[in-house]
Amino acid sequence: MSGDEPFIAAVKPLVDAMGGELIPPDEAGPEDVVLAWEGVDVVAVRLPQLADSLDHILAAMERREGRPLADLDRKAKQEAVRILEARGAFAVRHGVETVASALGVSRFTVYNYLNREKGA
């Protein structure tokens, strides 16, 4: 892995943003993605389970906001729901419940925000 460090350093922020994990290519399983550089397997990416991805996305949103999502005003919560919907958060089992909990609102409120977006 002598000349591979720049490649690994280049993909690490993306893998971190997805909530994935970098692993040696020889430890890759069938669900992992092996990345090659100049014809040589350099690193594998273990992708997170969808539910873990949602938790990771919510945590990243909180870091970006600098405060818990529950502390956002109504308009900011509506925008968060719009972003989460675009990222597929509600395709995950219990996604609405997870998001509602993070936002400090009811499931009904999340559904209202989703319906509001569709009607706009």
Side-chain angles (χ1 to χ4, degrees):
M1 291 215 343
S2 58
D4 305 336
E5 288 82 6
F7 177 76
I8 293 171
V11 299
K12 186 172 182 348
L14 175 62
V15 173
D16 289 346
M18 296 182 323
E21 176 186 1
L22 294 174
I23 58 173
D26 59 342
E27 293 179 19
E31 301 300 317
D32 299 324
V33 179
V34 177
L35 302 177
W37 182 251
E38 297 180 350
V40 177
D41 291 346
V42 175
V43 68
V45 178
R46 180 153 296 153
L47 299 171
Q49 298 297 314
L50 285 176
D52 295 337
S53 292
L54 179 53
D55 290 338
H56 189 80
I57 291 167
L58 290 167
M61 289 179 86
E62 283 193 341
R63 281 192 305 276
R64 193 168 37 250
E65 290 293 331
R67 58 187 165 157
L69 297 177
D71 292 348
L72 299 176
D73 64 25
R74 184 171 52 92
K75 185 174 181 176
K77 288 179 182 181
Q78 289 171 337
E79 177 65 12
V81 168
R82 186 193 65 72
I83 291 167
L84 291 164
E85 181 181 30
R87 296 200 58 190
F90 303 112
V92 176
R93 186 169 185 220
H94 303 298
V96 171
E97 293 86 349
T98 301
V99 170
S101 177
L103 293 176
V105 300
S106 68
R107 291 180 321 143
F108 180 74
T109 298
V110 172
Y111 283 118
N112 277 342
Y113 290 169
L114 288 167
N115 289 333
R116 177 186 189 97
E117 184 67 28
K118 286 181 178 42

Short mmCIF file of all heavy atoms in Angstrom, two decimals, residues 48-113:
data_model
loop_
_atom_site.label_atom_id
_atom_site.label_comp_id
_atom_site.label_asym_id
_atom_site.label_seq_id
_atom_site.Cartn_x
_atom_site.Cartn_y
_atom_site.Cartn_z
N PRO A 48 -22.98 0.95 5.05
CA PRO A 48 -23.81 0.76 6.23
C PRO A 48 -25.16 0.18 5.85
O PRO A 48 -25.59 0.26 4.70
CB PRO A 48 -23.97 2.17 6.77
CG PRO A 48 -23.88 3.04 5.56
CD PRO A 48 -22.89 2.35 4.66
N GLN A 49 -25.84 -0.41 6.84
CA GLN A 49 -27.22 -0.82 6.65
C GLN A 49 -28.05 0.45 6.51
O GLN A 49 -27.67 1.51 7.00
CB GLN A 49 -27.70 -1.64 7.86
CG GLN A 49 -26.94 -2.92 8.07
CD GLN A 49 -27.10 -3.88 6.91
OE1 GLN A 49 -28.20 -4.10 6.43
NE2 GLN A 49 -26.01 -4.45 6.45
N LEU A 50 -29.17 0.38 5.83
CA LEU A 50 -29.98 1.58 5.60
C LEU A 50 -30.37 2.28 6.89
O LEU A 50 -30.31 3.51 6.98
CB LEU A 50 -31.23 1.22 4.79
CG LEU A 50 -31.02 0.96 3.32
CD1 LEU A 50 -32.32 0.52 2.66
CD2 LEU A 50 -30.46 2.17 2.62
N ALA A 51 -30.77 1.54 7.89
CA ALA A 51 -31.18 2.16 9.15
C ALA A 51 -30.01 2.90 9.79
O ALA A 51 -30.17 3.99 10.34
CB ALA A 51 -31.74 1.12 10.11
N ASP A 52 -28.81 2.33 9.70
CA ASP A 52 -27.62 2.99 10.23
C ASP A 52 -27.33 4.26 9.43
O ASP A 52 -26.87 5.25 9.98
CB ASP A 52 -26.41 2.06 10.20
CG ASP A 52 -26.57 0.87 11.13
OD1 ASP A 52 -27.35 0.96 12.10
OD2 ASP A 52 -25.91 -0.16 10.87
N SER A 53 -27.57 4.21 8.12
CA SER A 53 -27.36 5.38 7.28
C SER A 53 -28.25 6.52 7.72
O SER A 53 -27.82 7.67 7.77
CB SER A 53 -27.64 5.06 5.81
OG SER A 53 -26.69 4.19 5.30
N LEU A 54 -29.50 6.23 8.05
CA LEU A 54 -30.42 7.28 8.48
C LEU A 54 -29.91 7.92 9.77
O LEU A 54 -29.89 9.14 9.89
CB LEU A 54 -31.83 6.73 8.66
CG LEU A 54 -32.88 7.74 9.13
CD1 LEU A 54 -32.91 8.98 8.24
CD2 LEU A 54 -34.25 7.08 9.19
N ASP A 55 -29.47 7.11 10.71
CA ASP A 55 -28.92 7.65 11.95
C ASP A 55 -27.70 8.53 11.65
O ASP A 55 -27.52 9.59 12.24
CB ASP A 55 -28.53 6.54 12.92
CG ASP A 55 -29.73 5.81 13.49
OD1 ASP A 55 -30.84 6.40 13.51
OD2 ASP A 55 -29.57 4.65 13.93
N HIS A 56 -26.87 8.09 10.71
CA HIS A 56 -25.68 8.84 10.33
C HIS A 56 -26.06 10.17 9.68
O HIS A 56 -25.47 11.21 9.98
CB HIS A 56 -24.82 7.99 9.38
CG HIS A 56 -23.49 8.58 9.11
ND1 HIS A 56 -22.44 8.47 9.98
CD2 HIS A 56 -23.04 9.31 8.07
CE1 HIS A 56 -21.39 9.09 9.48
NE2 HIS A 56 -21.73 9.61 8.33
N ILE A 57 -27.06 10.15 8.81
CA ILE A 57 -27.53 11.38 8.14
C ILE A 57 -28.07 12.35 9.17
O ILE A 57 -27.79 13.56 9.13
CB ILE A 57 -28.59 11.05 7.07
CG1 ILE A 57 -27.94 10.31 5.90
CG2 ILE A 57 -29.30 12.30 6.60
CD1 ILE A 57 -28.93 9.67 4.95
N LEU A 58 -28.87 11.86 10.12
CA LEU A 58 -29.44 12.72 11.15
C LEU A 58 -28.33 13.34 12.01
O LEU A 58 -28.36 14.54 12.32
CB LEU A 58 -30.42 11.94 12.02
CG LEU A 58 -31.73 11.56 11.33
CD1 LEU A 58 -32.49 10.54 12.16
CD2 LEU A 58 -32.59 12.78 11.04
N ALA A 59 -27.33 12.54 12.37
CA ALA A 59 -26.21 13.06 13.17
C ALA A 59 -25.44 14.12 12.39
O ALA A 59 -25.04 15.15 12.96
CB ALA A 59 -25.29 11.91 13.59
N ALA A 60 -25.24 13.89 11.10
CA ALA A 60 -24.53 14.87 10.27
C ALA A 60 -25.33 16.17 10.17
O ALA A 60 -24.76 17.27 10.21
CB ALA A 60 -24.26 14.30 8.88
N MET A 61 -26.65 16.06 10.06
CA MET A 61 -27.49 17.26 10.00
C MET A 61 -27.38 18.04 11.31
O MET A 61 -27.31 19.27 11.29
CB MET A 61 -28.94 16.89 9.72
CG MET A 61 -29.19 16.40 8.30
SD MET A 61 -30.91 15.94 8.02
CE MET A 61 -31.58 17.55 7.58
N GLU A 62 -27.35 17.34 12.43
CA GLU A 62 -27.21 18.01 13.73
C GLU A 62 -25.85 18.71 13.83
O GLU A 62 -25.77 19.84 14.31
CB GLU A 62 -27.39 17.03 14.88
CG GLU A 62 -28.82 16.68 15.11
CD GLU A 62 -29.08 15.96 16.43
OE1 GLU A 62 -28.12 15.39 17.03
OE2 GLU A 62 -30.24 15.96 16.87
N ARG A 63 -24.80 18.04 13.36
CA ARG A 63 -23.48 18.67 13.39
C ARG A 63 -23.47 19.93 12.53
O ARG A 63 -22.93 20.96 12.93
CB ARG A 63 -22.40 17.70 12.91
CG ARG A 63 -21.98 16.69 13.95
CD ARG A 63 -20.72 15.94 13.55
NE ARG A 63 -20.81 15.30 12.24
CZ ARG A 63 -21.35 14.10 12.03
NH1 ARG A 63 -21.85 13.41 13.04
NH2 ARG A 63 -21.39 13.58 10.82
N ARG A 64 -24.08 19.86 11.36
CA ARG A 64 -24.12 21.00 10.45
C ARG A 64 -24.90 22.16 11.06
O ARG A 64 -24.52 23.31 10.93
CB ARG A 64 -24.74 20.57 9.11
CG ARG A 64 -24.56 21.56 8.01
CD ARG A 64 -24.91 21.03 6.62
NE ARG A 64 -26.03 20.14 6.54
CZ ARG A 64 -25.95 18.83 6.27
NH1 ARG A 64 -24.81 18.26 6.07
NH2 ARG A 64 -27.03 18.08 6.23
N GLU A 65 -25.99 21.84 11.76
CA GLU A 65 -26.81 22.88 12.39
C GLU A 65 -26.17 23.40 13.68
O GLU A 65 -26.50 24.49 14.13
CB GLU A 65 -28.21 22.34 12.70
CG GLU A 65 -29.05 22.07 11.48
CD GLU A 65 -29.43 23.33 10.73
OE1 GLU A 65 -29.54 24.40 11.35
OE2 GLU A 65 -29.62 23.25 9.50
N GLY A 66 -25.31 22.59 14.29
CA GLY A 66 -24.67 22.98 15.53
C GLY A 66 -25.58 22.87 16.74
O GLY A 66 -25.29 23.44 17.80
N ARG A 67 -26.66 22.14 16.58
CA ARG A 67 -27.61 21.94 17.69
C ARG A 67 -28.52 20.76 17.36
O ARG A 67 -28.61 20.34 16.20
CB ARG A 67 -28.43 23.19 17.93
CG ARG A 67 -29.22 23.63 16.71
CD ARG A 67 -29.88 24.97 16.94
NE ARG A 67 -30.32 25.50 15.66
CZ ARG A 67 -31.28 26.38 15.54
NH1 ARG A 67 -31.90 26.83 16.61
NH2 ARG A 67 -31.62 26.82 14.37
N PRO A 68 -29.22 20.24 18.36
CA PRO A 68 -30.14 19.14 18.08
C PRO A 68 -31.23 19.57 17.09
O PRO A 68 -31.68 20.72 17.12
CB PRO A 68 -30.75 18.83 19.46
CG PRO A 68 -29.78 19.38 20.45
CD PRO A 68 -29.14 20.57 19.79
N LEU A 69 -31.63 18.65 16.25
CA LEU A 69 -32.67 18.96 15.27
C LEU A 69 -33.98 19.35 15.95
O LEU A 69 -34.75 20.14 15.41
CB LEU A 69 -32.88 17.78 14.32
CG LEU A 69 -31.68 17.41 13.45
CD1 LEU A 69 -32.00 16.17 12.61
CD2 LEU A 69 -31.26 18.56 12.56
N ALA A 70 -34.21 18.82 17.13
CA ALA A 70 -35.43 19.15 17.87
C ALA A 70 -35.48 20.63 18.24
O ALA A 70 -36.57 21.18 18.48
CB ALA A 70 -35.54 18.29 19.13
N ASP A 71 -34.33 21.31 18.25
CA ASP A 71 -34.28 22.73 18.60
C ASP A 71 -34.53 23.65 17.41
O ASP A 71 -34.58 24.87 17.57
CB ASP A 71 -32.92 23.08 19.22
CG ASP A 71 -32.72 22.43 20.59
OD1 ASP A 71 -33.70 21.90 21.16
OD2 ASP A 71 -31.58 22.45 21.07
N LEU A 72 -34.66 23.09 16.22
CA LEU A 72 -34.91 23.91 15.03
C LEU A 72 -36.33 24.48 15.06
O LEU A 72 -37.23 23.89 15.65
CB LEU A 72 -34.75 23.07 13.75
CG LEU A 72 -33.37 22.44 13.50
CD1 LEU A 72 -33.43 21.57 12.26
CD2 LEU A 72 -32.31 23.51 13.38
N ASP A 73 -36.53 25.60 14.36
CA ASP A 73 -37.89 26.14 14.25
C ASP A 73 -38.67 25.33 13.22
O ASP A 73 -38.11 24.48 12.52
CB ASP A 73 -37.88 27.64 13.92
CG ASP A 73 -37.25 27.96 12.56
OD1 ASP A 73 -37.25 27.09 11.66
OD2 ASP A 73 -36.77 29.09 12.39
N ARG A 74 -39.96 25.57 13.13
CA ARG A 74 -40.83 24.77 12.27
C ARG A 74 -40.37 24.79 10.81
O ARG A 74 -40.31 23.75 10.15
CB ARG A 74 -42.27 25.27 12.37
CG ARG A 74 -43.24 24.42 11.56
CD ARG A 74 -44.69 24.80 11.84
NE ARG A 74 -44.95 26.21 11.68
CZ ARG A 74 -45.37 26.78 10.54
NH1 ARG A 74 -45.58 26.04 9.49
NH2 ARG A 74 -45.59 28.07 10.49
N LYS A 75 -40.02 25.96 10.30
CA LYS A 75 -39.59 26.07 8.90
C LYS A 75 -38.33 25.24 8.65
O LYS A 75 -38.22 24.55 7.63
CB LYS A 75 -39.36 27.53 8.53
CG LYS A 75 -39.03 27.72 7.08
CD LYS A 75 -38.94 29.19 6.70
CE LYS A 75 -38.62 29.27 5.23
NZ LYS A 75 -38.59 30.57 4.69
N ALA A 76 -37.38 25.30 9.57
CA ALA A 76 -36.14 24.52 9.42
C ALA A 76 -36.42 23.02 9.51
O ALA A 76 -35.80 22.22 8.81
CB ALA A 76 -35.13 24.95 10.48
N LYS A 77 -37.37 22.63 10.36
CA LYS A 77 -37.75 21.21 10.44
C LYS A 77 -38.40 20.75 9.14
O LYS A 77 -38.13 19.65 8.66
CB LYS A 77 -38.69 20.97 11.62
CG LYS A 77 -38.00 21.06 12.96
CD LYS A 77 -38.96 20.84 14.11
CE LYS A 77 -38.25 20.98 15.44
NZ LYS A 77 -39.14 20.75 16.58
N GLN A 78 -39.23 21.60 8.54
CA GLN A 78 -39.84 21.26 7.26
C GLN A 78 -38.76 21.08 6.19
O GLN A 78 -38.83 20.15 5.38
CB GLN A 78 -40.84 22.34 6.84
CG GLN A 78 -42.09 22.35 7.69
CD GLN A 78 -42.97 23.55 7.42
OE1 GLN A 78 -42.52 24.59 6.93
NE2 GLN A 78 -44.25 23.42 7.77
N GLU A 79 -37.78 21.95 6.19
CA GLU A 79 -36.68 21.84 5.24
C GLU A 79 -35.88 20.56 5.49
O GLU A 79 -35.49 19.87 4.55
CB GLU A 79 -35.76 23.07 5.34
CG GLU A 79 -34.55 23.02 4.44
CD GLU A 79 -34.86 23.03 2.95
OE1 GLU A 79 -36.01 23.29 2.56
OE2 GLU A 79 -33.93 22.75 2.16
N ALA A 80 -35.67 20.21 6.75
CA ALA A 80 -34.96 18.98 7.08
C ALA A 80 -35.72 17.77 6.55
O ALA A 80 -35.13 16.84 5.98
CB ALA A 80 -34.76 18.86 8.59
N VAL A 81 -37.04 17.77 6.70
CA VAL A 81 -37.86 16.67 6.19
C VAL A 81 -37.75 16.60 4.67
O VAL A 81 -37.63 15.51 4.09
CB VAL A 81 -39.33 16.80 6.64
CG1 VAL A 81 -40.24 15.85 5.89
CG2 VAL A 81 -39.43 16.54 8.15
N ARG A 82 -37.73 17.74 3.99
CA ARG A 82 -37.59 17.76 2.54
C ARG A 82 -36.26 17.14 2.12
O ARG A 82 -36.19 16.30 1.22
CB ARG A 82 -37.68 19.19 2.01
CG ARG A 82 -37.69 19.26 0.48
CD ARG A 82 -37.47 20.66 -0.04
NE ARG A 82 -36.14 21.19 0.27
CZ ARG A 82 -35.01 20.79 -0.29
NH1 ARG A 82 -35.01 19.83 -1.19
NH2 ARG A 82 -33.86 21.33 0.05
N ILE A 83 -35.18 17.53 2.81
CA ILE A 83 -33.86 16.98 2.51
C ILE A 83 -33.82 15.48 2.78
O ILE A 83 -33.31 14.70 1.97
CB ILE A 83 -32.78 17.71 3.34
CG1 ILE A 83 -32.64 19.16 2.86
CG2 ILE A 83 -31.44 16.98 3.28
CD1 ILE A 83 -31.84 20.05 3.80
N LEU A 84 -34.39 15.07 3.90
CA LEU A 84 -34.40 13.65 4.26
C LEU A 84 -35.22 12.83 3.27
O LEU A 84 -34.83 11.71 2.92
CB LEU A 84 -34.91 13.47 5.69
CG LEU A 84 -33.96 13.99 6.77
CD1 LEU A 84 -34.68 14.13 8.09
CD2 LEU A 84 -32.75 13.06 6.90
N GLU A 85 -36.32 13.39 2.81
CA GLU A 85 -37.11 12.66 1.81
C GLU A 85 -36.30 12.49 0.52
O GLU A 85 -36.29 11.41 -0.07
CB GLU A 85 -38.42 13.39 1.52
CG GLU A 85 -39.26 12.63 0.51
CD GLU A 85 -40.56 13.31 0.16
OE1 GLU A 85 -40.63 14.54 0.20
OE2 GLU A 85 -41.51 12.57 -0.19
N ALA A 86 -35.61 13.54 0.11
CA ALA A 86 -34.79 13.46 -1.11
C ALA A 86 -33.68 12.42 -0.98
O ALA A 86 -33.28 11.81 -1.96
CB ALA A 86 -34.20 14.84 -1.43
N ARG A 87 -33.22 12.20 0.25
CA ARG A 87 -32.15 11.23 0.48
C ARG A 87 -32.68 9.83 0.76
O ARG A 87 -31.93 8.91 1.04
CB ARG A 87 -31.27 11.70 1.63
CG ARG A 87 -30.57 13.02 1.23
CD ARG A 87 -29.39 13.38 1.99
NE ARG A 87 -28.32 12.40 1.96
CZ ARG A 87 -27.26 12.49 2.74
NH1 ARG A 87 -27.13 13.50 3.57
NH2 ARG A 87 -26.32 11.58 2.69
N GLY A 88 -34.00 9.65 0.70
CA GLY A 88 -34.59 8.32 0.86
C GLY A 88 -34.85 7.89 2.29
O GLY A 88 -35.06 6.70 2.55
N ALA A 89 -34.86 8.82 3.22
CA ALA A 89 -35.01 8.48 4.63
C ALA A 89 -36.31 7.76 4.93
O ALA A 89 -36.38 6.94 5.84
CB ALA A 89 -34.93 9.75 5.49
N PHE A 90 -37.34 8.03 4.16
CA PHE A 90 -38.65 7.46 4.49
C PHE A 90 -38.90 6.13 3.78
O PHE A 90 -39.94 5.53 3.95
CB PHE A 90 -39.74 8.50 4.22
CG PHE A 90 -39.48 9.76 5.00
CD1 PHE A 90 -39.14 10.94 4.36
CD2 PHE A 90 -39.51 9.75 6.39
CE1 PHE A 90 -38.86 12.09 5.08
CE2 PHE A 90 -39.24 10.90 7.12
CZ PHE A 90 -38.91 12.07 6.47
N ALA A 91 -37.89 5.67 3.04
CA ALA A 91 -37.96 4.34 2.45
C ALA A 91 -37.45 3.29 3.44
O ALA A 91 -37.66 2.10 3.26
CB ALA A 91 -37.14 4.28 1.16
N VAL A 92 -36.79 3.76 4.49
CA VAL A 92 -36.24 2.89 5.51
C VAL A 92 -37.35 2.52 6.49
O VAL A 92 -38.16 3.37 6.87
CB VAL A 92 -35.09 3.61 6.27
CG1 VAL A 92 -34.55 2.76 7.40
CG2 VAL A 92 -33.98 3.99 5.31
N ARG A 93 -37.36 1.27 6.90
CA ARG A 93 -38.35 0.84 7.89
C ARG A 93 -38.23 1.69 9.14
O ARG A 93 -37.12 1.91 9.65
CB ARG A 93 -38.12 -0.64 8.22
CG ARG A 93 -39.18 -1.21 9.10
CD ARG A 93 -39.04 -2.71 9.18
NE ARG A 93 -40.16 -3.22 9.93
CZ ARG A 93 -40.08 -4.19 10.81
NH1 ARG A 93 -38.92 -4.79 11.02
NH2 ARG A 93 -41.13 -4.59 11.46
N HIS A 94 -39.32 2.18 9.62
CA HIS A 94 -39.39 3.06 10.80
C HIS A 94 -38.73 4.42 10.56
O HIS A 94 -38.38 5.11 11.51
CB HIS A 94 -38.79 2.41 12.05
CG HIS A 94 -39.44 1.10 12.41
ND1 HIS A 94 -40.77 0.99 12.73
CD2 HIS A 94 -38.93 -0.15 12.47
CE1 HIS A 94 -41.05 -0.28 12.98
NE2 HIS A 94 -39.96 -0.99 12.83
N GLY A 95 -38.55 4.79 9.29
CA GLY A 95 -37.92 6.06 8.96
C GLY A 95 -38.70 7.25 9.50
O GLY A 95 -38.12 8.18 10.07
N VAL A 96 -40.02 7.23 9.34
CA VAL A 96 -40.84 8.34 9.83
C VAL A 96 -40.70 8.47 11.35
O VAL A 96 -40.50 9.57 11.88
CB VAL A 96 -42.31 8.20 9.41
CG1 VAL A 96 -43.19 9.24 10.10
CG2 VAL A 96 -42.44 8.30 7.90
N GLU A 97 -40.76 7.35 12.04
CA GLU A 97 -40.64 7.37 13.50
C GLU A 97 -39.27 7.88 13.94
O GLU A 97 -39.16 8.69 14.87
CB GLU A 97 -40.88 5.98 14.10
CG GLU A 97 -42.30 5.47 13.95
CD GLU A 97 -42.58 4.77 12.62
OE1 GLU A 97 -41.73 4.84 11.68
OE2 GLU A 97 -43.65 4.17 12.50
N THR A 98 -38.22 7.43 13.25
CA THR A 98 -36.86 7.85 13.59
C THR A 98 -36.69 9.35 13.39
O THR A 98 -36.13 10.05 14.24
CB THR A 98 -35.84 7.07 12.74
OG1 THR A 98 -36.01 5.67 12.99
CG2 THR A 98 -34.41 7.47 13.07
N VAL A 99 -37.19 9.85 12.25
CA VAL A 99 -37.08 11.28 11.96
C VAL A 99 -37.92 12.09 12.94
O VAL A 99 -37.47 13.12 13.45
CB VAL A 99 -37.47 11.57 10.49
CG1 VAL A 99 -37.60 13.07 10.24
CG2 VAL A 99 -36.45 10.95 9.55
N ALA A 100 -39.13 11.63 13.21
CA ALA A 100 -40.00 12.34 14.15
C ALA A 100 -39.32 12.46 15.51
O ALA A 100 -39.34 13.54 16.12
CB ALA A 100 -41.35 11.63 14.28
N SER A 101 -38.72 11.40 15.96
CA SER A 101 -38.03 11.42 17.25
C SER A 101 -36.87 12.43 17.24
O SER A 101 -36.70 13.20 18.18
CB SER A 101 -37.52 10.02 17.58
OG SER A 101 -36.78 10.03 18.77
N ALA A 102 -36.09 12.42 16.16
CA ALA A 102 -34.95 13.33 16.07
C ALA A 102 -35.40 14.79 16.03
O ALA A 102 -34.73 15.67 16.57
CB ALA A 102 -34.11 13.01 14.83
N LEU A 103 -36.54 15.04 15.37
CA LEU A 103 -37.04 16.41 15.25
C LEU A 103 -37.86 16.84 16.47
O LEU A 103 -38.22 18.02 16.59
CB LEU A 103 -37.91 16.55 13.99
CG LEU A 103 -37.21 16.42 12.65
CD1 LEU A 103 -38.22 16.47 11.51
CD2 LEU A 103 -36.15 17.49 12.48
N GLY A 104 -38.19 15.89 17.33
CA GLY A 104 -38.99 16.22 18.50
C GLY A 104 -40.43 16.54 18.15
O GLY A 104 -41.07 17.38 18.79
N VAL A 105 -40.95 15.86 17.11
CA VAL A 105 -42.33 16.06 16.68
C VAL A 105 -43.00 14.69 16.57
O VAL A 105 -42.35 13.65 16.69
CB VAL A 105 -42.42 16.80 15.31
CG1 VAL A 105 -41.77 18.18 15.40
CG2 VAL A 105 -41.77 15.98 14.20
N SER A 106 -44.29 14.70 16.31
CA SER A 106 -45.02 13.45 16.15
C SER A 106 -44.87 12.91 14.72
O SER A 106 -44.49 13.65 13.80
CB SER A 106 -46.50 13.67 16.45
OG SER A 106 -47.08 14.49 15.44
N ARG A 107 -45.19 11.64 14.55
CA ARG A 107 -45.22 11.06 13.20
C ARG A 107 -46.21 11.82 12.34
O ARG A 107 -45.96 12.07 11.17
CB ARG A 107 -45.62 9.58 13.25
CG ARG A 107 -44.59 8.68 13.86
CD ARG A 107 -45.04 7.23 13.88
NE ARG A 107 -46.45 7.12 14.21
CZ ARG A 107 -47.30 6.24 13.68
NH1 ARG A 107 -46.87 5.36 12.83
NH2 ARG A 107 -48.55 6.22 14.03
N PHE A 108 -47.34 12.18 12.94
CA PHE A 108 -48.38 12.93 12.22
C PHE A 108 -47.80 14.22 11.66
O PHE A 108 -48.08 14.59 10.51
CB PHE A 108 -49.54 13.22 13.17
CG PHE A 108 -50.66 13.98 12.55
CD1 PHE A 108 -51.54 13.39 11.66
CD2 PHE A 108 -50.84 15.33 12.85
CE1 PHE A 108 -52.57 14.10 11.07
CE2 PHE A 108 -51.87 16.05 12.27
CZ PHE A 108 -52.74 15.44 11.38
N THR A 109 -46.98 14.91 12.44
CA THR A 109 -46.37 16.16 11.98
C THR A 109 -45.43 15.90 10.81
O THR A 109 -45.43 16.65 9.83
CB THR A 109 -45.62 16.85 13.14
OG1 THR A 109 -46.57 17.17 14.16
CG2 THR A 109 -44.91 18.11 12.69
N VAL A 110 -44.64 14.84 10.88
CA VAL A 110 -43.75 14.51 9.76
C VAL A 110 -44.57 14.24 8.51
O VAL A 110 -44.26 14.73 7.43
CB VAL A 110 -42.83 13.31 10.10
CG1 VAL A 110 -42.06 12.84 8.86
CG2 VAL A 110 -41.87 13.67 11.22
N TYR A 111 -45.66 13.46 8.65
CA TYR A 111 -46.52 13.21 7.49
C TYR A 111 -47.11 14.51 6.96
O TYR A 111 -47.22 14.70 5.75
CB TYR A 111 -47.63 12.22 7.84
CG TYR A 111 -47.16 10.79 7.91
CD1 TYR A 111 -47.25 10.07 9.10
CD2 TYR A 111 -46.63 10.15 6.79
CE1 TYR A 111 -46.82 8.74 9.17
CE2 TYR A 111 -46.19 8.83 6.86
CZ TYR A 111 -46.28 8.14 8.05
OH TYR A 111 -45.86 6.83 8.11
N ASN A 112 -47.48 15.42 7.84
CA ASN A 112 -47.99 16.72 7.39
C ASN A 112 -46.93 17.48 6.59
O ASN A 112 -47.24 18.08 5.57
CB ASN A 112 -48.45 17.58 8.58
CG ASN A 112 -49.83 17.23 9.03
OD1 ASN A 112 -50.61 16.60 8.30
ND2 ASN A 112 -50.17 17.61 10.25
N TYR A 113 -45.67 17.47 7.09
CA TYR A 113 -44.60 18.13 6.37
C TYR A 113 -44.41 17.50 4.99
O TYR A 113 -44.20 18.19 4.00
CB TYR A 113 -43.30 18.05 7.15
CG TYR A 113 -43.22 18.87 8.42
CD1 TYR A 113 -42.18 18.68 9.31
CD2 TYR A 113 -44.18 19.81 8.76
CE1 TYR A 113 -42.08 19.42 10.48
CE2 TYR A 113 -44.12 20.54 9.93
CZ TYR A 113 -43.06 20.34 10.79
OH TYR A 113 -42.96 21.06 11.94
#
